[in-house]
Amino acid sequence: MTQRKIRTLAQTDPQIAHLIAAEAKRQEESMELIPSENITSAAVREAMGSILTNKYSEGYPHQRYYGGQEYIDAIEDLARERAKKLFGVPYANVQPYSGSPANLAVYVATCQPGDTVMGQALPDGGHLTHGWKASASGHFYNAVQYHVNARGRIDMEEVEALARKHKPRLIWVGTSAYPWKLNYAAFAKIAKEVGAYLVADTSHITGLIIAGVHPSPVKYADIITTTTHKTLRGPRGGIILVTDKGLKKDPALGAKIDKAIFPMLQGGPHDHQTAAIAVALKEASTAAFRAYGKKIATNAQALAHALISYGVDVVGGGTDTHLLLINCGNGRGALVELALDRVGITVNKNTIPQDPSNPFYPSGIRIGTPSVTTRGMGVREMRKIATWIKAVMDLIADEQLPQNAKERAVFVTQFDRRIARNRALTAIRADVRALCKRFPAQR
Ligand code: DSN
């Protein structure tokens, strides 16, 4: 009998192996301040890279359309039970491939195409899937959008007025670029008055909710959706939870969500992903994780305070979550993103409330602390990072994006080339690398 030789990735596909190694080095030597990113544990990655990816399992535990499910069922049962226990809810679906399919499943389970839905506008810190016109949610549903006020806080008077006027079937409360705590009770009152489902998309703040740093929506929302790879620190994936309140409103809600995920929107679940989610949920049930969640917020506040003390325009004057927005000046977010990238600080350009520019050349950057907190950095390191951000912003302060939209792409390419030779940026790059070395990314 011939024995099949196991070939490593490097032997089979050296190009991909090389690129993964290069990305690992990049992750080690630079710091990710993109608020939606994090660093998974070796245990999560082991489950994610396991042989479970070989299996097909359409359906749900103990009700599948394929054989050979005894271990897969046990894995999905564990993931569902851990999710229910961790969040204190009676129902969980752990099969969504990620956050956007999870949110689409909520629409499919609760609305008909053309129904009115309501969510926070994307430039005001909401999410594409909450009714923004470029997404399916804004295309197939009659989406009404609410905004933030001049202080950058959700305008609850507008939320109430729009809900009364449009009587949405579903109201989203959830954000992707909003630094403040959400008032779930106020949203629940409005949703009750107009008879809407209240859906909390906690993707960005799930880890903070587990840590008790942010209020929980469990008492107030009918449905909760979350990605699993942000502050929860799991693999890429999504979870949908139905609360006691949701089941009281509609006892079939869990069954409707299950049906929306499969067979309406998805095929076979990604069993390797389900196992990795189960591992992440176990990790998130520990006191160590709760301490981690608290540190994310402490670090974000320290970063915001330091930046403000250096005269940086932090939108709304701070944060009480894991992220903050910096106003870089009209359309300059992309320039600051590129310059920070040059020194090994990865952020993303982002619109700010009432942005005078557009989403491709927005005026802000979005910064978050989940990943650097996972590396073990604390308040002292946040102050250091703030000095580098300020220094980089000062170094490119004279660079102005052309008014003429057609000239912008060329300008940005030339700008990127120009700063590659900047000695002051190169010196900061060396300091960033030295700090990263003291706080390894891989765990
Ligand atoms: N792409 C995610 C984020 O960066 O916030 C939201 O889906």
Side-chain angles (χ1 to χ4, degrees), residues 22 57 136 155 163-164 188 252 308 403 412:
S57 322
D155 184 344
R164 283 182 178 158
I308 291 166
Q403 290 294 322
V412 169

Side-chain angles (χ1 to χ4, degrees), residues 34 36 127 176 204 230 366:
I34 292 175
S36 47
H127 192 255
S176 68
H204 263 260
K230 297 189 175 89
R366 189 178 67 146

Side-chain angles (χ1 to χ4, degrees), residues 61 378 425:
L425 290 180

Side-chain angles (χ1 to χ4, degrees), residues 129-279:
T129 57
H130 299 177
W132 189 242
K133 51 189 177 299
S135 102
S137 62
H139 187 77
F140 294 119
Y141 302 94
N142 174 35
V144 176
Q145 302 268 271
Y146 57 86
H147 303 88
V148 294
N149 60 25
R151 289 170 46 246
R153 307 308 203 266
I154 292 173
D155 184 344
M156 291 310 295
E157 283 176 20
E158 187 195 25
V159 175
E160 187 171 40
L162 287 174
R164 283 182 178 158
K165 182 170 171 203
H166 297 282
K167 302 268 183 303
R169 184 157 173 81
L170 183 164
I171 299 176
W172 288 100
V173 51
T175 56
S176 68
Y178 183 76
W180 310 111
K181 286 181 184 160
L182 298 165
N183 187 346
Y184 293 123
F187 272 93
K189 195 162 162 265
I190 294 167
K192 186 174 176 205
E193 185 191 317
V194 301
Y197 285 105
L198 183 65
V199 188
D201 177 348
T202 65
S203 295
H204 263 260
I205 53 171
T206 301
L208 304 183
I209 291 169
I210 292 167
V213 176
H214 190 287
S216 165
V218 166
K219 251 171 59 190
Y220 304 105
D222 301 301
I223 301 170
I224 299 168
T225 63
T226 179
T227 47
T228 47
H229 46 275
K230 297 189 175 89
T231 48
L232 184 56
R233 214 161 59 179
R236 279 174 192 278
I239 298 178
I240 306 175
L241 308 166
V242 180
T243 62
D244 283 313
K245 190 175 179 213
L247 284 186
K248 206 163 147 205
K249 187 177 168 85
D250 179 359
L253 203 45
K256 286 179 186 170
I257 297 276
D258 280 351
K259 204 170 143 202
I261 286 289
F262 174 82
M264 291 285 279
L265 292 172
Q266 297 188 172
H270 294 173
D271 298 318
H272 55 304
Q273 187 179 36
T274 306
I277 288 173
V279 175

